[in-house]
Amino acid sequence: MFENFYKYTEPIVTFTPREKQILESAFTLRQVPKKFKLAEEGKIEKELFFILKGLVRLYYTKEGEEITGFIFKENLFASSYDSFLRQAPGIQTLETLEDSVLLVINKRERDELYEALPKMHILARKVAEQRFINTQMILSSFILDSPEERYRKFEEQHGDLLLRVPHHIIASYLGITPVSFSRIRKRIMK
């Protein structure tokens, strides 16, 4: 159950067998169906998720429209992180796009892990740094790239998601309409 978790963490930190026991006791395994809301706008996020299987979409709601901010896939941590850290109502919703299997830890258990395993500080910092880098890349792409360039980058970096995620959700993530998304795909395929 933790094999993929350790494959993810191994390049960052190495846990001893005793540390792995402590770590594993802090997480719970959760299976959830497609379209399950893990976090909701306006509510305080109390959990972090490590995705063993499935996809999770982070989105915002504006004027009744869902705007995708990120799509988390296997071997990534997902959460409404600002709400989790501040313990304040979030502005994001997290919803599964597929039946999913997750490792889940709540804030209290995470804080206890920081005390028990100082290596968790390193892991948390590296995860936060990666999220910062991803956010910067997304923002830069919206400022510097055309919609077609954003699509091409998405295809290069996350081509597998084109087969797993409804295209209107990817279009929302890329900041284009579904019609524009379809036109760009047709042009590129020619």
Side-chain angles (χ1 to χ4, degrees):
M1 171 170 80
F2 279 84
E3 299 85 19
N4 286 348
F5 181 85
Y6 294 127
K7 281 182 191 171
Y8 173 82
T9 62
E10 189 69 32
I12 302 166
V13 292
T14 302
F15 294 104
T16 67
R18 176 69 184 128
E19 290 170 332
K20 287 180 178 182
Q21 284 180 328
I22 294 167
L23 188 73
E24 291 171 20
S25 68
F27 282 88
T28 57
L29 184 69
R30 185 178 302 161
Q31 296 184 26
V32 293
K34 180 179 180 177
K35 294 198 173 277
F36 185 85
K37 286 191 172 56
L38 298 168
E40 294 186 63
E41 175 186 353
K43 295 187 179 176
I44 297 173
E45 177 63 82
K46 302 216 182 292
E47 298 176 318
L48 290 173
F49 310 94
F50 184 81
I51 305 167
L52 295 174
K53 178 181 176 292
L55 296 172
V56 175
R57 174 175 74 129
L58 178 148
Y59 69 87
Y60 302 86
T61 305
K62 183 178 179 182
E63 299 171 3
E65 181 183 348
E66 294 177 358
I67 303 164
T68 302
F70 200 75
I71 301 165
F72 299 94
K73 56 186 173 179
E74 289 86 3
N75 305 319
L76 290 177
F77 281 96
S79 75
S80 177
Y81 203 51
D82 65 320
S83 174
F84 181 82
L85 293 175
R86 296 182 300 115
Q87 286 299 282
I91 59 171
Q92 307 158 328
T93 298
L94 283 177
E95 182 180 63
T96 56
L97 294 175
E98 299 176 342
D99 293 345
S100 298
V101 180
L102 312 164
L103 290 176
V104 184
I105 189 167
N106 66 36
K107 187 160 186 346
R108 180 186 53 78
E109 290 166 331
R110 192 231 32 190
D111 291 345
E112 289 173 2
L113 267 183
Y114 282 167
E115 293 299 318
L117 302 175
K119 291 177 185 176
M120 287 300 296
H121 289 281
I122 297 167
L123 178 61
R125 187 187 87 235
K126 291 293 190 179
V127 170
E129 287 172 354
Q130 189 57 55
R131 284 203 59 180
F132 175 78
I133 291 166
N134 290 343
T135 301
Q136 287 297 110
M137 290 173 61
I138 292 166
L139 178 61
S140 298
S141 185
F142 272 94
I143 293 169
L144 300 172
D145 298 335
S146 69
E148 187 166 321
E149 289 169 325
R150 286 196 301 275
Y151 175 87
R152 286 182 186 276
K153 284 182 179 179
F154 183 86
E155 185 178 42
E156 286 172 17
Q157 297 166 358
H158 311 289
D160 60 311
L161 295 182
L162 290 168
L163 303 173
R164 297 173 67 186
V165 177
H167 288 175
H168 72 278
I169 290 174
I170 297 172
S172 168
Y173 173 72
L174 296 174
I176 57 180
T177 66
V179 172
S180 293
F181 180 87
S182 180
R183 287 183 186 143
I184 289 168
R185 278 182 55 94
K186 285 180 185 171
R187 268 198 313 270
I188 289 172
M189 288 180 174
K190 285 183 180 178

XYZ file of all heavy atoms in Angstrom, residues 1-65:
556
model
N 0.823 -1.203 0.000
C 0.000 0.000 0.000
C 0.865 1.264 0.000
O 0.529 2.240 -0.625
C -0.917 -0.041 1.219
C -1.665 1.226 1.479
S -2.940 1.084 2.716
C -2.005 1.181 4.214
N 2.011 1.266 0.664
C 2.869 2.442 0.758
C 4.006 2.441 -0.251
O 4.827 3.360 -0.251
C 3.433 2.569 2.181
C 2.475 3.198 3.148
C 1.500 2.431 3.771
C 2.528 4.549 3.429
C 0.608 2.993 4.663
C 1.639 5.135 4.318
C 0.679 4.352 4.944
N 4.065 1.424 -1.130
C 5.184 1.325 -2.065
C 5.335 2.585 -2.906
O 6.438 3.125 -3.050
C 5.036 0.101 -2.994
C 5.001 -1.231 -2.282
C 3.588 -1.605 -1.792
O 2.585 -1.049 -2.281
O 3.505 -2.437 -0.885
N 4.240 3.056 -3.494
C 4.313 4.245 -4.348
C 4.652 5.489 -3.545
O 5.346 6.383 -4.035
C 3.009 4.439 -5.119
C 2.878 3.437 -6.242
O 3.836 2.750 -6.599
N 1.701 3.335 -6.807
N 4.165 5.536 -2.328
C 4.495 6.657 -1.454
C 6.007 6.730 -1.247
O 6.616 7.786 -1.370
C 3.764 6.511 -0.111
C 4.034 7.634 0.850
C 3.288 8.803 0.791
C 5.028 7.525 1.809
C 3.527 9.844 1.682
C 5.282 8.554 2.700
C 4.527 9.728 2.633
N 6.611 5.585 -0.958
C 8.057 5.570 -0.725
C 8.845 5.800 -2.013
O 9.930 6.391 -1.972
C 8.488 4.283 -0.017
C 7.935 4.201 1.390
C 7.216 3.092 1.816
C 8.104 5.249 2.285
C 6.691 3.035 3.099
C 7.586 5.203 3.563
C 6.878 4.096 3.967
O 6.359 4.055 5.239
N 8.318 5.374 -3.147
C 8.984 5.690 -4.422
C 9.008 7.204 -4.632
O 9.969 7.749 -5.150
C 8.256 5.018 -5.594
C 8.578 3.561 -5.747
C 7.848 2.992 -6.950
C 7.929 1.485 -6.970
N 7.050 0.896 -7.993
N 7.922 7.861 -4.224
C 7.839 9.310 -4.347
C 8.791 10.006 -3.373
O 9.485 10.954 -3.737
C 6.399 9.770 -4.089
C 6.229 11.268 -4.038
C 6.117 12.009 -5.205
C 6.193 11.942 -2.829
C 5.969 13.385 -5.161
C 6.049 13.315 -2.770
C 5.929 14.036 -3.944
O 5.793 15.390 -3.895
N 8.843 9.514 -2.128
C 9.634 10.197 -1.097
C 11.120 9.853 -1.137
O 11.940 10.637 -0.683
C 9.089 9.882 0.313
O 9.193 8.469 0.572
C 7.654 10.353 0.464
N 11.474 8.699 -1.671
C 12.862 8.211 -1.640
C 13.877 9.207 -2.192
O 14.947 9.385 -1.593
C 12.963 6.875 -2.382
C 14.292 6.181 -2.232
C 14.553 5.657 -0.812
O 13.594 5.279 -0.124
O 15.726 5.642 -0.413
N 13.604 9.884 -3.311
C 14.604 10.855 -3.785
C 14.748 12.074 -2.855
O 15.724 12.810 -2.949
C 14.058 11.297 -5.148
C 13.082 10.254 -5.539
C 12.528 9.688 -4.272
N 13.784 12.260 -1.967
C 13.787 13.430 -1.085
C 14.364 13.068 0.285
O 15.283 13.724 0.771
C 12.360 13.999 -0.935
C 11.794 14.366 -2.316
C 12.349 15.203 0.003
C 10.305 14.624 -2.335
N 13.777 12.038 0.912
C 14.225 11.562 2.227
C 14.095 10.046 2.269
O 13.238 9.474 1.608
C 13.414 12.169 3.396
C 13.665 13.642 3.560
C 11.938 11.888 3.253
N 14.952 9.426 3.063
C 14.885 7.976 3.245
C 14.452 7.702 4.681
O 15.056 8.224 5.628
C 16.258 7.329 2.979
O 16.665 7.662 1.654
C 16.175 5.819 3.114
N 13.401 6.912 4.814
C 12.887 6.574 6.135
C 13.420 5.212 6.569
O 13.480 4.277 5.771
C 11.359 6.546 6.125
C 10.731 7.887 5.869
C 10.180 8.191 4.632
C 10.688 8.846 6.873
C 9.593 9.427 4.398
C 10.110 10.086 6.647
C 9.568 10.387 5.409
N 13.787 5.100 7.839
C 14.201 3.825 8.406
C 12.965 2.942 8.591
O 11.834 3.446 8.557
C 14.869 4.031 9.782
O 13.877 4.497 10.703
C 16.045 4.990 9.693
N 13.149 1.651 8.806
C 11.982 0.795 9.057
C 11.123 1.297 10.238
O 9.892 1.286 10.147
C 12.599 -0.574 9.361
C 13.864 -0.570 8.561
C 14.366 0.846 8.665
N 11.745 1.768 11.302
C 10.986 2.294 12.455
C 10.224 3.557 12.077
O 9.071 3.750 12.459
C 11.942 2.573 13.634
C 11.272 3.192 14.827
C 10.322 2.207 15.513
N 9.621 2.876 16.593
C 8.311 2.878 16.762
N 7.538 2.223 15.926
N 7.772 3.515 17.754
N 10.860 4.432 11.311
C 10.195 5.662 10.865
C 9.019 5.333 9.945
O 7.966 5.985 10.011
C 11.198 6.574 10.155
C 12.216 7.186 11.092
C 13.349 7.890 10.375
O 13.686 7.498 9.231
O 13.917 8.826 10.965
N 9.183 4.314 9.117
C 8.082 3.893 8.239
C 6.893 3.416 9.062
O 5.740 3.703 8.711
C 8.545 2.799 7.281
C 9.446 3.312 6.176
C 9.876 2.195 5.239
C 10.752 2.736 4.112
N 11.151 1.704 3.154
N 7.137 2.713 10.155
C 6.038 2.267 11.019
C 5.279 3.464 11.578
O 4.043 3.480 11.571
C 6.563 1.423 12.189
C 6.958 0.028 11.835
C 7.460 -0.727 13.083
O 8.046 -0.151 13.988
N 7.214 -2.023 13.081
N 6.001 4.452 12.050
C 5.372 5.662 12.598
C 4.582 6.375 11.512
O 3.432 6.769 11.718
C 6.446 6.590 13.211
C 7.097 5.928 14.424
C 5.852 7.942 13.577
C 8.362 6.620 14.913
N 5.193 6.518 10.363
C 4.565 7.198 9.237
C 3.282 6.487 8.812
O 2.224 7.113 8.672
C 5.558 7.254 8.079
C 5.181 8.070 6.863
C 5.266 9.548 7.184
C 6.120 7.749 5.719
N 3.370 5.195 8.642
C 2.217 4.421 8.169
C 1.063 4.437 9.161
O -0.099 4.392 8.766
C 2.656 3.001 7.841
C 3.544 2.953 6.612
C 4.194 1.608 6.350
O 3.703 0.578 6.873
O 5.206 1.575 5.620
N 1.371 4.532 10.446
C 0.295 4.563 11.432
C -0.453 5.897 11.422
O -1.581 5.990 11.906
C 0.835 4.270 12.834
O 1.655 5.334 13.280
N 0.150 6.926 10.850
C -0.484 8.241 10.803
C -1.465 8.385 9.640
O -2.373 9.212 9.687
C 0.585 9.329 10.712
N -1.284 7.583 8.598
C -2.138 7.666 7.417
C -3.245 6.613 7.468
O -3.068 5.551 8.054
C -1.319 7.432 6.139
C -0.514 8.611 5.694
C 0.778 8.817 6.181
C -1.021 9.524 4.787
C 1.543 9.898 5.770
C -0.268 10.609 4.363
C 1.018 10.800 4.862
N -4.359 6.915 6.826
C -5.409 5.925 6.632
C -5.636 5.758 5.134
O -5.377 6.680 4.350
C -6.739 6.341 7.310
O -7.141 7.622 6.789
C -6.601 6.424 8.811
N -6.081 4.595 4.759
C -6.394 4.307 3.355
C -7.867 4.616 3.132
O -8.718 4.228 3.933
C -6.105 2.845 3.051
C -6.290 2.418 1.599
C -5.214 3.041 0.718
C -6.233 0.899 1.486
N -8.156 5.329 2.044
C -9.543 5.658 1.735
C -9.800 5.424 0.253
O -9.041 5.893 -0.588
C -9.842 7.117 2.097
C -11.313 7.481 1.916
C -11.609 8.908 2.324
N -11.228 9.133 3.706
C -11.030 10.354 4.215
N -11.163 11.423 3.471
N -10.681 10.479 5.481
N -10.875 4.713 -0.037
C -11.325 4.531 -1.413
C -12.573 5.375 -1.597
O -13.491 5.306 -0.781
C -11.612 3.067 -1.687
C -10.369 2.202 -1.581
C -10.636 0.750 -1.942
O -11.547 0.435 -2.686
N -9.821 -0.140 -1.404
N -12.580 6.164 -2.651
C -13.721 7.039 -2.911
C -14.137 6.922 -4.372
O -13.307 6.682 -5.249
C -13.412 8.514 -2.559
C -13.211 8.689 -1.052
C -12.202 9.027 -3.298
N -15.416 7.104 -4.640
C -15.886 6.999 -6.023
C -15.604 8.266 -6.826
O -15.268 9.315 -6.269
C -17.399 6.804 -5.845
C -17.716 7.529 -4.582
C -16.513 7.322 -3.694
N -15.759 8.137 -8.105
C -15.678 9.265 -9.030
C -16.688 10.329 -8.595
O -17.770 9.994 -8.103
C -16.001 8.754 -10.440
C -15.971 9.789 -11.521
C -16.285 9.120 -12.863
C -16.268 10.117 -13.990
N -16.497 9.460 -15.276
N -16.322 11.591 -8.751
C -17.157 12.755 -8.424
C -17.360 12.950 -6.915
O -18.316 13.579 -6.489
C -18.500 12.701 -9.145
C -18.381 12.826 -10.651
C -19.713 13.215 -11.265
C -19.578 13.517 -12.716
N -19.127 14.850 -13.022
N -16.447 12.408 -6.126
C -16.513 12.565 -4.668
C -15.790 13.851 -4.283
O -14.653 14.078 -4.696
C -15.873 11.358 -3.978
C -15.990 11.381 -2.492
C -17.125 10.886 -1.864
C -14.963 11.900 -1.709
C -17.233 10.903 -0.483
C -15.060 11.924 -0.332
C -16.202 11.430 0.286
N -16.429 14.684 -3.488
C -15.806 15.936 -3.055
C -14.965 15.680 -1.812
O -15.479 15.316 -0.766
C -16.879 16.988 -2.802
C -17.462 17.529 -4.095
C -18.310 18.751 -3.855
C -18.740 19.424 -5.126
N -19.427 18.636 -6.065
N -13.665 15.884 -1.945
C -12.732 15.717 -0.835
C -12.632 16.989 0.001
O -12.342 16.939 1.189
C -11.336 15.352 -1.362
C -11.236 14.048 -2.139
C -9.895 13.956 -2.851
C -11.427 12.864 -1.210
N -12.826 18.119 -0.634
C -12.804 19.422 0.033
C -13.786 20.313 -0.714
O -13.954 20.164 -1.924
C -11.410 20.029 -0.005
N -14.422 21.209 0.020
C -15.409 22.080 -0.611
C -15.132 23.537 -0.294
O -14.722 23.879 0.818
C -16.813 21.710 -0.149
C -17.255 20.340 -0.620
C -18.700 20.027 -0.275
O -19.581 20.746 -0.776
O -18.915 19.084 0.503
N -15.394 24.367 -1.282
C -15.278 25.808 -1.116
C -16.107 26.236 0.100
O -17.211 25.752 0.313
C -15.806 26.485 -2.390
C -15.863 27.981 -2.332
C -16.517 28.576 -3.560
O -16.821 27.849 -4.520
O -16.732 29.799 -3.546
N -15.528 27.114 0.905
C -16.241 27.616 2.073
C -16.069 26.782 3.328
O -16.493 27.179 4.408
N -15.439 25.618 3.192
C -15.206 24.754 4.344
C -13.714 24.695 4.657
O -12.879 24.911 3.784
C -15.748 23.350 4.082
C -17.262 23.342 3.929
C -17.805 21.951 3.841
C -19.333 22.010 3.720
N -19.902 20.702 3.542
N -13.401 24.364 5.886
C -12.004 24.278 6.309
C -11.442 22.903 5.959
O -12.031 21.886 6.327
C -11.874 24.544 7.826
C -12.322 25.976 8.146
C -10.437 24.313 8.296
C -12.404 26.295 9.622
N -10.325 22.899 5.246
C -9.671 21.643 4.851
C -8.963 21.050 6.058
O -8.146 21.698 6.695
C -8.674 21.903 3.723
C -7.891 20.690 3.289
C -8.748 19.607 2.720
O -9.086 19.689 1.536
O -9.084 18.668 3.473
N -9.282 19.818 6.350
C -8.710 19.153 7.524
C -7.775 18.006 7.141
O -7.169 17.398 8.008
C -9.830 18.620 8.407
C -10.799 19.710 8.868
C -11.278 19.483 10.246
C -12.262 20.517 10.703
N -11.736 21.823 10.873
N -7.656 17.705 5.836
C -6.889 16.527 5.428
C -5.990 16.830 4.230
O -6.282 17.704 3.421
C -7.833 15.380 5.057
C -8.698 14.917 6.211
C -9.699 13.854 5.799
O -10.309 13.988 4.721
O -9.867 12.899 6.573
N -4.917 16.042 4.152
C -4.052 15.992 2.975
C -4.198 14.610 2.367
O -4.380 13.628 3.094
C -2.586 16.183 3.357
C -2.127 17.540 3.838
C -0.685 17.453 4.318
C -2.236 18.563 2.740
N -4.068 14.515 1.053
C -4.268 13.258 0.348
C -3.048 12.941 -0.504
O -2.538 13.806 -1.212
C -5.495 13.354 -0.558
C -6.709 13.885 0.144
C -7.024 15.237 0.100
C -7.529 13.038 0.877
C -8.139 15.730 0.760
C -8.638 13.519 1.543
C -8.939 14.868 1.486
N -2.607 11.696 -0.455
C -1.596 11.202 -1.386
C -2.321 10.221 -2.293
O -2.930 9.257 -1.828
C -0.439 10.510 -0.661
C 0.648 10.072 -1.597
C 1.592 10.974 -2.048
C 0.703 8.763 -2.057
C 2.603 10.575 -2.936
C 1.704 8.358 -2.939
C 2.646 9.269 -3.374
N -2.281 10.463 -3.590
C -3.080 9.686 -4.545
C -2.325 8.425 -4.954
O -1.281 8.494 -5.603
C -3.432 10.532 -5.783
C -4.135 11.819 -5.362
C -4.282 9.729 -6.759
C -4.256 12.860 -6.457
N -2.859 7.289 -4.569
C -2.303 6.001 -4.993
C -2.871 5.598 -6.345
O -2.185 5.029 -7.177
C -2.610 4.918 -3.956
C -1.973 5.090 -2.585
C -2.481 4.019 -1.626
C -0.461 5.045 -2.678
N -4.157 5.905 -6.540
C -4.837 5.550 -7.794
C -5.937 6.571 -8.012
O -6.671 6.908 -7.090
C -5.436 4.154 -7.683
C -6.207 3.681 -8.908
C -6.778 2.289 -8.670
C -7.623 1.808 -9.816
N -8.859 2.557 -9.976
N -6.028 7.074 -9.241
C -7.106 7.995 -9.580
C -6.623 9.397 -9.890
O -5.424 9.669 -9.964
N -7.591 10.273 -10.067
C -7.341 11.675 -10.391
C -8.192 12.558 -9.487
O -9.335 12.213 -9.182
C -7.718 11.978 -11.845
C -6.941 11.282 -12.945
C -7.574 11.561 -14.298
C -5.486 11.734 -12.938
N -7.632 13.706 -9.118
C -8.350 14.676 -8.300
C -8.223 16.038 -8.973
O -7.123 16.459 -9.339
C -7.776 14.735 -6.865
C -8.451 15.840 -6.054
C -7.920 13.384 -6.163
N -9.354 16.694 -9.109
C -9.368 18.024 -9.730
C -9.566 19.085 -8.655
O -10.439 18.968 -7.798
C -10.493 18.107 -10.747
C -10.679 19.506 -11.331
C -11.714 19.533 -12.435
N -13.053 19.425 -11.945
C -14.056 20.244 -12.267
N -13.845 21.240 -13.108
N -15.259 20.057 -11.790
N -8.742 20.123 -8.700
C -8.929 21.296 -7.865
C -9.592 22.338 -8.747
O -9.123 22.619 -9.849
C -7.563 21.798 -7.379
C -7.552 23.048 -6.521
C -6.408 22.978 -5.522
C -7.453 24.313 -7.345
N -10.730 22.883 -8.269
C -11.382 23.915 -9.077
C -11.974 25.017 -8.214
O -12.174 24.870 -7.014
C -12.432 23.310 -10.014
C -13.663 22.741 -9.359
C -14.765 23.542 -9.080
C -13.744 21.385 -9.048
C -15.909 23.010 -8.493
C -14.882 20.849 -8.475
C -15.953 21.672 -8.191
O -17.087 21.146 -7.608
N -12.206 26.137 -8.870
C -12.832 27.314 -8.272
C -14.198 27.473 -8.925
O -14.405 27.066 -10.068
C -12.007 28.574 -8.563
C -10.584 28.487 -8.070
C -9.583 27.910 -8.856
C -10.233 28.979 -6.821
C -8.282 27.824 -8.413
C -8.924 28.897 -6.370
C -7.956 28.315 -7.171
O -6.667 28.230 -6.724
N -15.112 28.106 -8.227
C -16.424 28.399 -8.799
C -16.586 29.910 -8.884
O -16.413 30.616 -7.886
C -17.551 27.794 -7.941
O -17.310 26.385 -7.795
C -18.904 27.997 -8.599
N -16.875 30.382 -10.101
C -17.094 31.810 -10.321
C -18.335 31.975 -11.177
O -18.399 31.422 -12.286
C -15.877 32.432 -11.012
C -15.999 33.925 -11.213
C -14.752 34.496 -11.859
C -14.920 35.983 -12.076
N -13.759 36.557 -12.743
N -19.307 32.674 -10.643
C -20.557 32.921 -11.356
C -21.161 31.623 -11.870
O -21.622 31.536 -13.011
C -20.326 33.929 -12.488
C -19.842 35.279 -11.991
C -19.397 36.222 -13.102
O -19.501 35.867 -14.295
O -18.936 37.319 -12.748
N -21.110 30.595 -11.034
C -21.706 29.305 -11.370
C -20.860 28.429 -12.281
O -21.234 27.299 -12.566
N -19.731 28.937 -12.732
C -18.858 28.171 -13.634
C -17.698 27.576 -12.849
O -17.101 28.244 -12.003
C -18.322 29.082 -14.734
C -17.438 28.376 -15.733
C -16.855 29.330 -16.775
O -17.289 30.482 -16.865
O -15.926 28.892 -17.480
